């Protein structure tokens, strides 16, 4: 069957030279173009998300002080340049939503699954190019709706990115519970549809379209990560969709899934019998797998980049796959650790504590394997490698605080403080961003046929790395001192006066870290046109995508699809003249295939 499909695809691709601008750049069904569309859309959303975080950081550092920027960007929400209390929570809400879903999920899964799955498994394209295109345009539509919600008269959604009821379920609760919240829910429903279509496509492609010789144990770890990420998405995203639909019913059609015994200004509302805790269960059943949907692709990219830039095989290939599978399974049975203070039965809390601490084991396996991979390697310290090493650093430091938050007895003291913010930003926000940056620096020549400027990459990495720790390291301490998250000012609490200076330091780091991303954006967009022309295999890697020509063609390979004879990590193999052996090179007589 596959041989027949291959010749058919080969005959077909003479008909694709009459592409118009619209079919090539806009409604493209080519996975390489769709990857670029995801990346650039995600980048634009990222700029919006980072701008929001810079605004609310300035508000926390210098509350009640007039700010020209607020007046310019927030208009009526910042009379005389002083930020309104309501818009603060809305900024936090939309920042969280954009960064988690529209930047990290799309920037990692959307971009790199699309770019690398067909290229690294030896396929002409995705299983369904049409579904792939629909998945991107649904994502684009949901991004547009999310941005439109910022301009609604009563303000954007303002219930935190977790949109707990009753704030999110009662349109009259506050300004941000009205039209802005409705648009948020519609946007997320469309985003989930996009994510599911993409995930199904990735799964089918990996299972059905591998080239001859590409067994599952010869796949690069990137593909394993994307494959399992897609499986987690298919399992957990429908649960969030059901939560969103039930919330829409509560808001617009008078049901009471999440509401009961509500009073507004002394008046009893008619809602009876619902439970906001039910919403928490539904939300976090997606919400926790979601953080692994964000981090697993980054882990896959980092594994590939570290092996390539250490000129060594990845350490513990099969253990890496096993840990990805263990993380996927465990990620679906730990959601209750977000809810230790929701009145949960303490025994159930201890069960969730146990499963949560278990997930530290596969995570630690991966961390040790990365460290062992670079141990005594011939390290190529390019920007992609630096971001990969940065990823391991933030993943470990952010992960350690997870052990505290995963323990029900310890979590109660720091729940809903800045300690939690510091933890999850380091372990999934910064780590996933580093993984994304590493992937962009490494595969940019494959995407655009040109190289990024290395020196600008170094500036980008070092300032970003220092600022990321400068922001989130002190946050642990103000969290342990009891500072609650999501308060627009702490000046009413004499208890927290001593922490004001720390908040100023955090904000300065945040502003510098945000501004230095302009260096990256400049590098990214200028290099598309003026970067140094890339060679076919600039990093001297072993995987299949570097056997394709530099200029993109429909179908990836001009002739036959290459066959695979070995695993993806034959770096510095004894008995070979060069320090890398591509997967397409047949084994020599008497040569053993490595796969430890």
């Amino acid at each position: 069957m596959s041989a027949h499909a291959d010749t058919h695809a080969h005959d077909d691709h003479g008909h694709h030279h009459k592409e118009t601008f619209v079919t090539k750049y806009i409604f493209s069904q080519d996975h390489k173009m769709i990857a670029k569309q995801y990346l650039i859309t995600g980048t634009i959303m990222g700029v919006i998300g980072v701008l929001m975080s810079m605004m609310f950081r300035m508000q926390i550092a210098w509350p009640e002080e007039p700010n020209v920027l607020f007046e310019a960007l927030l208009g009526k929400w910042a009379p005389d340049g002083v930020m309104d209390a309501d818009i603060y929570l809305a900024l936090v809400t939309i920042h969280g939503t954009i960064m988690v879903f529209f930047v990290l999920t799309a920037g990692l899964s959307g971009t790199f699954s699309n770019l690398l799955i067909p290229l690294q498994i030896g396929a002409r394209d995705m299983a369904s190019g049409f579904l792939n295109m629909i998945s991107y345009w649904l994502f684009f539509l949901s991004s547009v709706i999310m941005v439109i919600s910022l301009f609604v008269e009563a303000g954007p959604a303002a219930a935190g990115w977790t949109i707990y009821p009753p704030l999110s379920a009662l349109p009259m609760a506050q300004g941000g519970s009205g039209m802005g919240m409705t648009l948020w829910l519609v946007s997320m429903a469309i985003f989930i549809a996009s994510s599911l279509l993409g995930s199904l496509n990735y799964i089918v492609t990996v299972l059905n379209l591998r080239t001859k010789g590409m067994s599952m144990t010869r796949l690069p770890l990137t593909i394993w990560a994307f494959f399992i990420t897609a499986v987690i998405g298919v399992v957990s995203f429908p649960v969030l969709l059901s939560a969103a639909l039930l919330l829409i019913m509560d808001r617009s059609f008078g049901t009471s899934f999440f509401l009961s015994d509500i009073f507004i200004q002394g008046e009893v509302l008619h809602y009876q019998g619902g439970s906001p805790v039910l919403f928490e269960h539904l939300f976090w059943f997606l919400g926790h797998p979601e953080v692994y949907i964000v981090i697993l692709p980054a882990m896959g990219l980092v594994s590939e980049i570290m092996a390539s830039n250490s000129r060594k095989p990845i350490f513990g290939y099969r253990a890496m796959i096993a840990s990805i599978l263990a993380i996927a399974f465990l990620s679906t049975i730990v959601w209750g650790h977000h809810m230790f203070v929701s009145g949960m039965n303490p025994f159930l809390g201890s069960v969730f504590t146990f499963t949560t601490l278990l997930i530290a084991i596969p995570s630690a396996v991966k961390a040790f394997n990365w460290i062992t991979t670079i141990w005594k390697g011939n390290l190529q310290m390019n920007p992609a490698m630096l971001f990969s090493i940065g990823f391991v650093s933030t993943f470990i430091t952010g992960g350690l605080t997870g052990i505290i938050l995963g323990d029900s007895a310890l979590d109660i003291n720091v729940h809903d403080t800045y300690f939690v913010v510091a933890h999850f930003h380091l372990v999934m926000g910064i780590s996933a961003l580093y993984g994304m940056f590493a992937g962009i620096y490494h595969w940019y020549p494959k995407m655009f046929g040109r190289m990024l400027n290395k020196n600008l990459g170094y500036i980008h990495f070092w300032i970003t790395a220092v600022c990321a720790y400068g922001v989130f390291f002190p946050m642990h301490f103000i969290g342990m001192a009891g500072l609650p998250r999501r308060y627009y000012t702490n000046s009413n609490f004499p208890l927290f006066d001593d922490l004001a200076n720390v908040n100023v330091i955090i904000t300065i780091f945040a502003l510098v870290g945000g501004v230095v991303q302009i260096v990256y954006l400049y590098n990214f967009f200028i290099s598309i046109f003026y970067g140094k022309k890339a060679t076919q295999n600039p990093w001297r890697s072993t995987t299949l995508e570097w056997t394709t020509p530099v200029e993109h063609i429909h179908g990836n390979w001009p002739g036959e699809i290459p066959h695979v004879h070995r695993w993806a990590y034959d770096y510095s193999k004894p008995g070979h003249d060069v320090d890398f052996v591509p997967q397409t090179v047949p084994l020599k007589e008497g040569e053993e295939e490595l796969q430890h």
Side-chain angles (χ1 to χ4, degrees):
M1 174 64 210
S2 66
H4 168 72
D6 182 38
T7 51
H8 176 68
H10 193 51
D11 299 341
D12 257 4
H13 77 231
H15 304 305
H16 288 282
H17 58 270
K18 297 196 204 65
E19 284 191 317
T20 62
F21 179 84
V22 172
T23 58
K24 183 170 182 191
Y25 291 104
I26 301 175
F27 296 111
S28 170
Q29 297 188 19
D30 185 317
H31 70 100
K32 300 180 289 298
M33 184 54 67
I34 293 173
K36 289 189 226 180
Q37 290 175 318
Y38 265 113
L39 181 56
I40 289 172
T41 314
T43 303
I44 294 165
M45 294 300 277
V47 170
I48 298 171
V50 169
L51 268 176
M52 289 181 167
S53 63
M54 289 164 81
M55 282 201 290
F56 59 68
R57 273 312 323 172
M58 287 191 275
Q59 164 63 22
I60 301 170
W62 303 289
E64 314 300 333
E65 284 184 29
N67 187 317
V68 184
L69 198 65
F70 293 170
E71 205 163 7
L73 290 175
L74 298 175
K76 67 167 184 177
W77 298 110
D80 302 326
V82 178
M83 189 186 287
D84 186 70
D86 290 339
I87 200 67
Y88 177 84
L89 187 56
L91 287 173
V92 171
T93 301
I94 306 294
H95 162 80
T97 310
I98 283 180
M99 297 310 272
V100 170
F101 294 108
F102 294 88
V103 179
L104 296 177
T105 307
L108 281 158
S109 286
T111 302
F112 290 105
S113 299
N114 273 312
L115 179 71
L116 294 177
I117 288 177
L119 285 171
Q120 289 194 336
I121 67 174
R124 293 274 179 217
D125 206 311
M126 282 291 178
S128 167
F130 180 71
L131 267 191
N132 211 7
M133 176 184 84
I134 298 289
S135 135
Y136 168 73
W137 282 103
L138 285 175
F139 166 67
F140 181 79
L141 178 63
S142 71
S143 303
V144 168
I145 293 173
M146 191 59 75
V147 171
I148 286 173
S149 80
L150 302 176
F151 300 98
V152 171
E153 192 183 349
W161 81 277
T162 53
I163 56 160
Y164 285 177
L167 272 186
S168 58
L170 292 170
M172 68 294 267
Q174 55 168 356
S177 300
M179 186 62 181
M181 190 70 233
T182 305
L183 287 173
W184 191 101
L185 289 164
V186 171
S187 169
M188 281 315 298
I190 297 170
F191 175 85
I192 292 165
S194 148
S195 181
L196 286 172
L197 289 178
S199 295
L200 291 170
N201 218 349
Y202 306 149
I203 292 169
V204 173
T205 308
V206 171
L207 291 179
N208 287 352
L209 297 184
R210 302 192 307 280
T211 184
K212 187 168 184 231
M214 181 63 87
S215 61
M216 291 298 272
T217 50
R218 282 177 175 170
L219 287 172
L221 287 170
T222 37
I223 304 300
W224 269 104
F226 300 142
F227 172 58
I228 300 302
T229 300
V231 172
I232 302 176
V234 167
V235 168
S236 56
F237 264 120
V239 180
L240 184 65
L241 183 63
S242 64
L245 290 176
L246 295 181
L247 197 48
I248 289 171
M249 303 291 274
D250 270 14
R251 291 170 56 79
S252 307
F253 302 105
T255 56
S256 302
F257 291 109
F258 305 133
L259 293 167
S260 185
D261 306 324
I262 299 278
F263 295 79
I264 286 194
Q265 293 168 344
E267 182 192 343
V268 185
L269 302 187
H270 65 85
Y271 299 105
Q272 276 300 315
S275 164
V277 176
L278 169 63
F279 178 86
E280 291 189 30
H281 279 291
L282 292 174
F283 181 89
W284 286 115
F285 188 82
L286 158 95
H288 202 79
E290 166 64 23
V291 304
Y292 290 100
I293 290 172
V294 161
I295 205 76
L296 277 178
M299 290 174 159
L301 297 173
V302 163
S303 302
E304 180 64 38
I305 292 166
M306 280 200 160
S308 182
N309 285 309
S310 301
R311 316 309 294 163
K312 273 180 65 185
I314 189 81
F315 185 88
Y317 174 77
R318 289 183 182 232
M320 286 299 228
I321 296 172
S323 61
I324 290 174
L325 293 168
I327 284 172
F329 169 66
L330 290 170
S331 75
T332 57
I333 52 170
V334 296
W335 78 92
H337 65 220
H338 296 269
M339 301 171 54
F340 287 143
V341 296
S342 66
M344 175 189 281
N345 180 321
F347 174 72
L348 186 57
S350 65
V351 173
F352 277 123
T353 297
F354 175 66
T355 57
T356 303
L357 296 183
L358 274 184
I359 215 164
I361 298 169
S363 305
V365 167
K366 296 190 88 61
F368 286 126
N369 283 358
W370 287 317
I371 293 168
T372 319
T373 298
I374 60 175
W375 176 252
K376 293 194 173 175
N378 173 14
L379 304 185
Q380 317 291 309
M381 286 296 187
N382 48 43
M385 182 63 162
L386 289 176
F387 273 110
S388 300
I389 295 169
F391 168 93
V392 178
S393 167
T394 53
F395 184 70
I396 293 172
T397 43
L400 287 172
T401 52
I403 295 172
I404 295 168
L405 294 171
D407 189 311
S408 51
L410 298 175
D411 172 70
I412 290 167
N413 305 297
V414 284
H415 187 85
D416 258 341
T417 67
Y418 272 93
F419 192 86
V420 178
V421 180
H423 158 72
F424 76 78
H425 276 84
L426 273 181
V427 81
M428 83 157 201
I430 300 294
S431 298
L433 268 181
Y434 281 1
M436 189 164 102
F437 284 139
I440 291 166
Y441 280 100
H442 191 77
W443 278 284
Y444 191 90
K446 195 75 257 160
M447 275 192 267
F448 295 102
R450 292 178 183 270
M451 307 294 282
L452 283 166
N453 182 309
K454 204 170 174 180
N455 291 333
L456 290 179
Y458 289 141
I459 293 168
H460 176 216
F461 169 74
W462 283 112
I463 300 181
T464 304
V466 170
C467 289
Y469 271 136
V471 169
F472 297 114
F473 206 77
M475 258 190 209
H476 291 94
F477 300 110
I478 58 176
M480 286 192 284
L483 193 70
R485 46 197 289 212
R486 295 183 180 160
Y487 282 20
Y488 79 105
T489 171
N490 305 299
S491 50
N492 295 343
F493 306 99
L495 169 70
F496 298 135
D497 285 349
D498 295 345
L499 304 178
N501 293 339
V502 184
N503 264 327
V504 172
I505 291 169
I506 290 175
T507 296
I508 290 167
F509 274 120
L511 293 174
V512 175
V515 169
V516 83
Q517 303 313 310
I518 294 171
V519 173
Y520 158 74
L521 291 172
Y522 171 83
N523 195 0
F524 184 93
F525 287 109
I526 295 292
S527 298
I528 293 175
F529 306 105
Y530 304 110
K532 196 175 91 188
K533 287 256 167 68
T535 53
Q536 187 178 13
N537 187 355
W539 314 117
R540 299 169 64 237
S541 295
T542 57
T543 41
L544 285 180
E545 77 270 32
W546 306 107
T547 63
T548 60
V550 178
E551 59 283 350
H552 289 174
I553 56 167
H554 199 85
N556 296 337
W557 286 269
E560 290 287 307
I561 295 181
H563 292 173
V564 168
H565 301 281
R566 56 181 71 237
W567 74 321
Y569 297 101
D570 269 342
Y571 291 101
S572 305
K573 193 170 187 189
H576 286 272
D577 301 334
V578 280
D579 68 350
F580 72 107
V581 190
Q583 287 189 274
T584 52
V585 175
L587 291 170
K588 293 179 180 174
E589 210 174 310
E591 182 185 358
E592 274 185 52
E593 185 176 5
L594 295 171
Q595 257 180 23
H596 37 70

